[in-house]
Amino acid sequence: MKGIRRLAQHLDISIGTVSRALNGRPDVKEETRKRVLEAARQFGYVPNQSGRSLRQGTTNIIGFMIQTGSEITGQGDTFFMSVFDGVQEVFARHKLDLVALLCSSQEDPTEYLRRAVARGFADGLILSATRRHDPRVELLAERNIPFVTLGRTLTDAGQPWLDLDFEGMAQASIDRLVARGHRRIAITLPHNDANLGYVFVERCRQALSAHGLILDESLIFRSTPNEAGGYQIGRDLLALEERPTAIVLINETIATGLYRALLEAGVRPGADIAVIGRHSPQANFLSPSLTCFRLSLHDLGIALAETLLSSMPAFAYHYPDAPPNRLWPMELVEGESDALQAHQF
Amino acid sequence: MKGIRRLAQHLDISIGTVSRALNGRPDVKEETRKRVLEAARQFGYVPNQSGRSLRQGTTNIIGFMIQTGSEITGQGDTFFMSVFDGVQEVFARHKLDLVALLCSSQEDPTEYLRRAVARGFADGLILSATRRHDPRVELLAERNIPFVTLGRTLTDAGQPWLDLDFEGMAQASIDRLVARGHRRIAITLPHNDANLGYVFVERCRQALSAHGLILDESLIFRSTPNEAGGYQIGRDLLALEERPTAIVLINETIATGLYRALLEAGVRPGADIAVIGRHSPQANFLSPSLTCFRLSLHDLGIALAETLLSSMPAFAYHYPDAPPNRLWPMELVEGESDALQAHQF
DNA sequence: CCAGCGACCGTAAACGTTTACGGAACTATG
DNA sequence: CATAGTTCCGTAAACGTTTACGGTCGCTGG
């Protein structure tokens, strides 16, 4: 005898009552509930997940899909760890469990996701590293399973999304640099078709043209979003005949590599070239200090969770005024890396 | 009509046959199997996870437990992503899915794990960030659920484990530094009771005493295992009346912070103090380059998976000679950060 | 022609829950 | 006392699979 039956036998009541007691149903005597809870604690009984979710068609699990192998997203562990922690802060209130669905770099993400949802693995999903054309959102939309994306796509299907405000970053960076006299401004992009790249480059173009400038295509650098990619960008940049006087980095992780390439060549960020980047745990320890855009990953996680829950009927009433879509602002942290004024040349 | 029944109805055969066909049972006509597989593909049918695992008591899921919040483990940006990818390379061969069980920093890891196993969530588990006294291993051992730990504990219960060879690192580092004339050697430790700290400090002590030296307790630095911790260590070290001439870093992530603190004070790694650390994605971009111990995280993941599977009856025969316990070697990468000879003083 | 066998497939039970339904005991009301 | 209402609990069906068991059919060998 196992599981709920064992408990019922021990208490000499029916399994139905045990279940009701544990699930907080009203039609069970308070004294009985006490006994059941006590016995459950004592036996270490926890309802079997499979049985429960088979019956009620719900798993109490939310999946956060991420790709392993790390070269793809360019987000490091610490990024997700912090976001996860925020997400869980919200989920804990609803007895929801967060698990990370790990899609191997060997596997097609859409197929992976298709399998996961067909198996009925999770009640809801969080998608990250969204691509410009992302078949995953169509898949989930037509399956009618609640989800939220961290990042917009071109193929948005009306699902809730959160996205970092890359437009704001682009605008602020360009304005700031132009105001300081820069005319040749380089930018970096991830070289896959991540959606954020398009958003970013487009807004940079706009912002520049508002100042009567055009974005020189030869100053758009694409690379893998990691340290090595940053190093390569640095080398490529230095090899140009006519160097830019400033560069804006879209990814967190490339700054260290870029610094290395520049410093090796005796080019000092902030003195010989202006650099604006994204904040990362390492950013504080770069020298000269990096001017960068920062955000609270923990709060981002909280918002992500709330946004998802507000789209799930069972939880929506807890979050009546969570907006379905949000552009998450980033805060500019002034450092030394963009100190120079271009007219110093 | 849904699920397997729908498929069966459409093909005009029984659900039993459909199941057998999909599961590769021998007693089904080859032509029938073809039809079933084709229909399944066409309908996008995937067996419901709950139903399946309820019946066979198995989930085909392996859980990798990690703590979110990131300050705890101190693993760098891409550590887990790379390990995961290796693990999955092995699991993919057995149609096992890897999911990350995310324990919030708010929650007690043991309780979290207890819930997860009681729910019958996974067929096997991988534990990381093992503590010296880790109640999780007792829990899993008495529940008789297959698991492997990344890191030993004092309370090992005969389970398979893998651990980085911190002894080897300690020995090699001390020998190397002593051979170069260093007498005052500092080391760093994480300040929680992670097991690796004890292993490391003990072996350092031994190695030093083999050279007739003793480990000065005031040269043992404890900190959070991240950049900020490294910075703090640097400051503390510089404040000492009698500075060490060398320091060995146990964590990946603290080198950047340490460098910053040293360089701010005009103390150059490799010239004014010798530094030996652990490799990380950022390590390549430190200047002067860091002498460090490196390992293939992908291969570590593979080994971890194989070790776990070899302890699971259903898979063991695939891995007849996987050792239950392994000390994973790290390779020394020579950099400039420990170039100085102490007798230069 | 019959027994025996193998190949294939249908039937139904089982896995561990939750929950609709109904019934028993008790209380309140007239 | 009869009736209605309330409170609590037991019964059993249902969720979607897998699999033991047995049955049908066709074939083979005597």
Side-chain angles (χ1 to χ4, degrees), chain B residues 24-70:
Chain B
R25 289 305 163 90
D27 52 352
V28 47
K29 204 181 354 180
E30 207 43 50
E31 184 215 331
T32 311
R33 188 192 310 279
K34 281 258 177 56
R35 286 178 57 218
V36 172
L37 289 176
E38 168 57 20
R41 203 190 51 73
Q42 180 185 334
F43 282 65
Y45 170 76
V46 179
N48 175 285
Q49 182 62 39
S50 305
R52 156 177 279 200
S53 62
L54 181 55
R55 169 62 216 232
Q56 41 183 33
T58 204
T59 63
N60 287 338
I61 291 176
I62 306 291
F64 196 129
M65 178 172 168
I66 57 183
Q67 274 120 304
T68 64
S70 77

Side-chain angles (χ1 to χ4, degrees), chain A residues 25-343:
Chain A
R25 289 305 163 92
D27 52 350
V28 47
K29 204 180 357 181
E30 208 44 49
E31 185 215 329
T32 312
R33 188 193 309 280
K34 282 257 177 55
R35 288 179 55 219
V36 171
L37 289 177
E38 169 57 21
R41 205 192 49 74
Q42 180 186 332
F43 282 62
Y45 170 77
V46 178
N48 175 284
Q49 181 64 39
S50 305
R52 154 176 279 202
S53 63
L54 181 57
R55 168 61 217 231
Q56 44 184 28
T58 204
T59 62
N60 286 339
I61 291 176
I62 305 290
F64 196 130
M65 179 172 167
I66 57 181
Q67 273 120 302
T68 64
S70 78
E71 275 102 28
I72 306 143
T73 101
Q75 302 295 7
D77 283 2
T78 52
F79 179 90
F80 284 117
M81 296 297 172
S82 302
V83 175
F84 288 162
D85 215 49
V87 171
Q88 284 180 305
E89 186 174 317
V90 176
F91 283 177
R93 299 202 283 265
H94 304 287
K95 293 185 179 296
L96 288 170
D97 271 314
L98 179 68
V99 309
L101 298 177
L102 304 168
C103 177
S104 152
S105 57
Q106 318 276 328
E107 195 173 358
D108 176 56
T110 309
E111 278 315 307
Y112 177 86
L113 190 60
R114 188 190 307 280
R115 257 181 38 230
V117 312
R119 292 180 3 158
F121 192 88
D123 294 348
L125 288 166
I126 304 176
L127 262 43
S128 66
T130 49
R131 314 208 139 216
R132 192 156 165 79
H133 294 276
D134 202 319
R136 295 179 301 169
V137 320
E138 303 167 38
L139 173 68
L140 293 181
E142 76 184 24
R143 290 282 201 288
N144 220 33
I145 164 171
F147 72 109
V148 57
T149 60
L150 176 51
R152 289 156 288 174
T153 73
L154 259 193
T155 55
D156 277 347
Q159 88 284 5
W161 54 254
L162 232 73
D163 206 350
L164 301 190
D165 183 15
F166 290 108
E167 286 97 330
M169 174 178 169
Q171 186 76 50
S173 301
I174 297 295
D175 287 351
R176 180 178 171 94
L177 291 171
V178 170
R180 296 184 173 207
H182 293 275
R183 293 293 175 269
R184 285 184 62 74
I185 302 174
I187 64 175
T188 72
L189 299 178
H191 70 185
N192 56 29
D193 61 351
N195 189 63
L196 62 92
Y198 287 83
V199 172
F200 187 68
V201 69
E202 225 33 66
R203 187 57 167 268
C204 283
R205 214 186 297 276
Q206 282 178 30
L208 282 168
S209 85
H211 293 291
L213 301 170
I214 60 164
L215 178 58
D216 186 337
E217 298 294 325
S218 70
L219 296 184
I220 302 177
F221 292 93
R222 296 166 197 276
S223 77
T224 55
N226 54 23
E227 285 82 3
Y231 186 76
Q232 188 57 49
I233 288 175
R235 300 299 297 257
D236 292 347
L237 182 150
L238 293 169
L240 287 179
E241 296 219 348
E242 197 180 356
R243 285 189 200 162
T245 62
I247 184 167
V248 186
L249 313 176
I250 198 172
N251 271 106
E252 307 185 327
T253 41
I254 60 183
T256 43
L258 178 74
Y259 263 53
R260 163 76 180 270
L262 294 178
L263 292 171
E264 276 181 358
V267 175
R268 292 158 304 156
D272 305 318
I273 186 172
V275 179
I276 297 182
R278 295 263 311 279
H279 185 263
S280 74
Q282 288 85 39
N284 293 330
F285 302 94
L286 286 174
S287 179
S289 64
L290 182 67
T291 295
C292 59
F293 285 85
R294 181 170 60 183
L295 70 160
S296 163
L297 297 175
H298 189 85
D299 292 348
L300 179 68
I302 291 179
L304 211 43
E306 291 181 344
T307 303
L308 175 62
L309 293 186
S310 73
S311 79
M312 297 175 67
F315 303 100
Y317 71 99
H318 286 289
Y319 306 96
D321 37 43
N325 304 312
R326 283 157 99 168
L327 267 191
W328 197 259
M330 295 188 275
E331 173 201 8
L332 181 67
V333 182
E334 302 215 8
E336 304 155 0
S337 65
D338 69 339
L340 91 154
Q341 311 269 326
H343 49 74

Side-chain angles (χ1 to χ4, degrees), chain B residues 33-334:
Chain B
R33 188 192 310 279
K34 281 258 177 56
R35 286 178 57 218
V36 172
L37 289 176
E38 168 57 20
R41 203 190 51 73
Q42 180 185 334
F43 282 65
Y45 170 76
V46 179
N48 175 285
Q49 182 62 39
S50 305
R52 156 177 279 200
S53 62
L54 181 55
R55 169 62 216 232
Q56 41 183 33
T58 204
T59 63
N60 287 338
I61 291 176
I62 306 291
F64 196 129
M65 178 172 168
I66 57 183
Q67 274 120 304
T68 64
S70 77
E71 274 102 31
I72 306 143
T73 102
Q75 300 297 4
D77 268 15
T78 54
F79 183 89
F80 282 120
M81 298 296 173
S82 301
V83 175
F84 287 162
D85 214 51
V87 171
Q88 284 181 306
E89 185 174 319
V90 176
F91 283 178
R93 299 202 283 265
H94 304 287
K95 293 185 180 295
L96 289 171
D97 271 312
L98 179 68
V99 310
L101 297 177
L102 304 168
C103 177
S104 152
S105 57
Q106 318 277 330
E107 196 173 359
D108 176 56
T110 309
E111 279 315 307
Y112 177 87
L113 190 60
R114 188 190 309 280
R115 258 181 37 230
V117 311
R119 293 182 358 161
F121 193 88
D123 294 346
L125 288 165
I126 304 177
L127 262 42
S128 66
T130 50
R131 312 206 140 218
R132 191 156 166 81
H133 294 276
D134 203 320
R136 295 180 302 169
V137 321
E138 304 168 37
L139 173 68
L140 293 180
E142 78 185 21
R143 289 283 200 289
N144 218 33
I145 162 170
F147 71 109
V148 58
T149 60
L150 176 51
R152 291 156 286 176
T153 74
L154 259 192
T155 55
D156 277 348
Q159 87 283 7
W161 54 254
L162 231 73
D163 205 351
L164 301 189
D165 183 15
F166 291 106
E167 287 96 328
M169 174 178 169
Q171 186 76 50
S173 302
I174 297 295
D175 286 352
R176 180 177 169 96
L177 291 170
V178 170
R180 296 184 172 205
H182 293 275
R183 292 294 174 268
R184 283 184 63 72
I185 301 173
I187 64 175
T188 73
L189 299 179
H191 71 183
N192 57 29
D193 61 351
N195 190 62
L196 62 92
Y198 288 82
V199 171
F200 186 69
V201 68
E202 226 31 67
R203 187 57 167 268
C204 283
R205 214 185 297 277
Q206 282 179 31
L208 282 168
S209 85
H211 292 292
L213 301 170
I214 61 162
L215 178 58
D216 185 338
E217 298 294 325
S218 70
L219 296 184
I220 302 178
F221 292 94
R222 297 167 197 276
S223 76
T224 55
N226 54 25
E227 284 85 3
Y231 186 76
Q232 189 56 49
I233 288 176
R235 301 298 297 257
D236 292 348
L237 182 150
L238 293 169
L240 287 180
E241 297 218 348
E242 196 181 357
R243 284 190 199 161
T245 62
I247 184 167
V248 186
L249 313 176
I250 198 173
N251 271 106
E252 306 185 327
T253 41
I254 60 183
T256 42
L258 178 74
Y259 262 53
R260 163 76 178 269
L262 294 178
L263 292 171
E264 277 182 359
V267 175
R268 292 158 304 157
D272 304 318
I273 185 172
V275 180
I276 297 182
R278 296 263 310 280
H279 185 264
S280 74
Q282 288 85 40
N284 293 330
F285 301 95
L286 287 175
S287 179
S289 64
L290 182 68
T291 295
C292 58
F293 286 84
R294 181 170 61 183
L295 70 159
S296 163
L297 297 174
H298 189 86
D299 291 349
L300 178 68
I302 291 178
L304 210 44
E306 291 181 345
T307 304
L308 175 62
L309 292 186
S310 72
S311 79
M312 297 175 68
F315 303 101
Y317 70 99
H318 286 288
Y319 305 96
D321 38 43
N325 304 313
R326 283 157 98 168
L327 268 190
W328 196 260
M330 295 187 274
E331 172 202 7
L332 181 68
V333 182
E334 302 215 8

